[in-house]
């Protein structure tokens, strides 16, 4: 390409808008923020509608049901945009990109590039090449050996933001595609995390959520474990609040409970502890590494050490071979643990995974019935649990202002969404709120004057 043509190309890119649609977990939400920040450095500015974009990226998720189909149909919706804007490039990133690689480009002719979960930092280069050479690109190699070094790039992070501490997963639960789409587990250096969080504090962040597929298997190169990392971040940074997700029951120990309790001024007393099933045989076939009994012992340890702790979980119904009785064990576990929040899913066979080849796959109807039963049971439990907050004073970090109703909302340390009367100047402040009424999903309260 001549230098004049390159210059023209640069100018084209300089006026460009990028739209990213995001599926999946918080990891992907965070990856999208990184993509926007990286693309801003090469003059792509975020736009709110695909119609206004010169670059569209689908940050895909592969964890459940028909993910490839979802990508196909979203790209299909952009067909006309390609006609009206010949400059438009469309790419797919995230876990479907990692899983499908070249096949996705072959199957979806409208696509210009596909990149994997380890190639986000290469995005500016990928996009530049896609524009310059007008050729299709696939980048989906894993960086298994390299140390995990990134920065939380989000330049406008708001009050609360995510910070990745690990990537990948080595657990290979038999139902789960994540070890195949995110690669081997790697941890970021502790000193890098301290610096990163201090930078976020300077940008006005009050709360960070530490992210990883299994945060409590964090291990830095100098040997720091997750409990030690949490304590270091609580003591050596000025962040006001720390949350984390997801922790794996098999790696949850007394040391972690003690650190949370010792630093409860900063570390929120909310734990997402995915159980997946309440039956030990199913858990063994899932390769979860704990039995029902072990799990219940961990829950007891947590409740004994951290009074007032709030728990949530993930459950899969209709795992291959799950009998009616085994499912009842999951129902009864809800009674025993008393989760405030439940995320439940119908089992969905995933590529590369062992459970996809198991016999005795359940019918869609059976899975749907079990899912409904589970949610019904949980609704009864969770509303009663929410009611217990009535009359209590909760510490709420204000995140949003609703002008129409002149009220603000934020989350309590227990991760409850709380609404109360207030003005926009409260955003970013932590205030004490007396809970006047509990609803199934939210709490309403009144500010307690300091
Ligand atoms: N690392 C986290 C889970 C990440 S995936 C952990 O171990 O807890 C998020 C949730 O999706 C899982 O907890 C599980 O409940 C659900 N999930 C994963 N694979 C699934 C599948 N094949 N079918 C249905 N649900 C699945
Ligand atoms: Fe998937 Fe299990 Fe790893 Fe969670 S711990 S990401 S469920 S393999
Ligand atoms: Fe989905 Fe990948 Fe997250 S499969 S749940 S986006 S790790």
């Amino acid at each position: 390409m001549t230098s004049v043509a390159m210059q023209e190309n640069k100018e084209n890119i300089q006026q460009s808008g990028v739209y990213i649609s995001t599926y999946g977990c918080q990891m992907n939400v965070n990856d999208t923020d990184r993509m926007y920040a990286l693309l801003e450095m090469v003059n792509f500015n975020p736009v709110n509608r695909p119609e206004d974009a010169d670059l569209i990226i689908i940050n895909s998720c592969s964890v459940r049901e028909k993910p490839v189909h979802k990508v196909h149909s979203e790209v299909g919706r952009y067909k006309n945009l390609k006609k009206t804007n010949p400059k438009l490039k469309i790419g797919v990133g995230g876990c479907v990109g990692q899983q499908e690689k070249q096949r996705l480009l072959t199957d979806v002719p409208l696509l210009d590039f596909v990149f994997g979960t380890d190639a986000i930092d290469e995005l500016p280069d990928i996009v530049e090449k896609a524009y310059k050479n007008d050729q299709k690109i696939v980048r989906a190699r894993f960086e298994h050996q390299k140390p995990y070094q990134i920065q939380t790039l989000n330049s406008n992070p708001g009050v609360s933001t995510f910070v990745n501490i690990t990537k990948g997963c080595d657990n290979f639960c038999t139902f789960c595609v994540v070890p195949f789409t995110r690669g081997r587990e790697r941890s970021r250096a502790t000193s890098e995390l301290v610096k990163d969080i201090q930078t976020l504090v300077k940008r006005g962040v009050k709360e960070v959520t530490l992210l990883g597929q299994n945060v409590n298997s964090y291990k830095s190169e100098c040997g720091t474990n997750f409990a030690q990392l949490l304590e270091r971040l609580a003591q050596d940074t000025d962040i006001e609040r720390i949350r984390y997700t997801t922790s794996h029951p098999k790696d949850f120990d007394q040391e972690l409970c003690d650190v949370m309790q010792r630093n409860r001024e900063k570390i929120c007393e909310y734990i997402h502890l995915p159980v997946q099933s309440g039956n030990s045989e199913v858990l063994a076939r899932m390769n979860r590494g704990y039995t029902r009994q072990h799990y219940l012992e961990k829950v007891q340890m947590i409740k004994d050490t951290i009074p007032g702790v709030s728990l949530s979980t993930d459950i899969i119904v209709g795992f291959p071979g799950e009998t009616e009785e085994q499912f009842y064990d999951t129902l009864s576990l809800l009674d025993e643990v008393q989760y405030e929040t439940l995320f439940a899913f119908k089992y969905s066979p995933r590529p590369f995974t062992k459970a996809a080849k198991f016999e005795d796959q359940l019918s869609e109807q059976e899975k749907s019935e079990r899912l409904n039963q589970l949610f019904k049971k949980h609704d009864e439990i969770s509303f009663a649990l929410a009611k217990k907050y009535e009359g209590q004073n909760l510490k709420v970090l204000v995140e949003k202002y609703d002008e129409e109703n002149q009220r603000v909302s934020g989350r309590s340390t227990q991760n409850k969404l709380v609404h109360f009367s207030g003005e926009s100047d409260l955003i970013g402040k932590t205030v004490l709120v007396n809970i006047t009424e509990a609803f199934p999903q939210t709490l309403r309260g009144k500010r307690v004057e300091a």
Side-chain angles (χ1 to χ4, degrees), residues 23-28 59-64 94-96 117 177-178 181-182 213:
Y23 297 81
C25 59
Q26 283 125 328
M27 203 78 72
N28 256 16
N59 191 10
S60 60
C61 168
S62 171
V63 84
R64 284 175 293 272
C95 289
V96 178
T117 50
V177 77
V178 171
T181 61
R182 294 274 166 174
Q213 287 303 340

Side-chain angles (χ1 to χ4, degrees), residues 310-322:
S310 162
L311 294 171
S312 65
T313 201
D314 290 348
I315 286 174
I316 296 177
V317 298
F319 185 74
E322 183 190 67

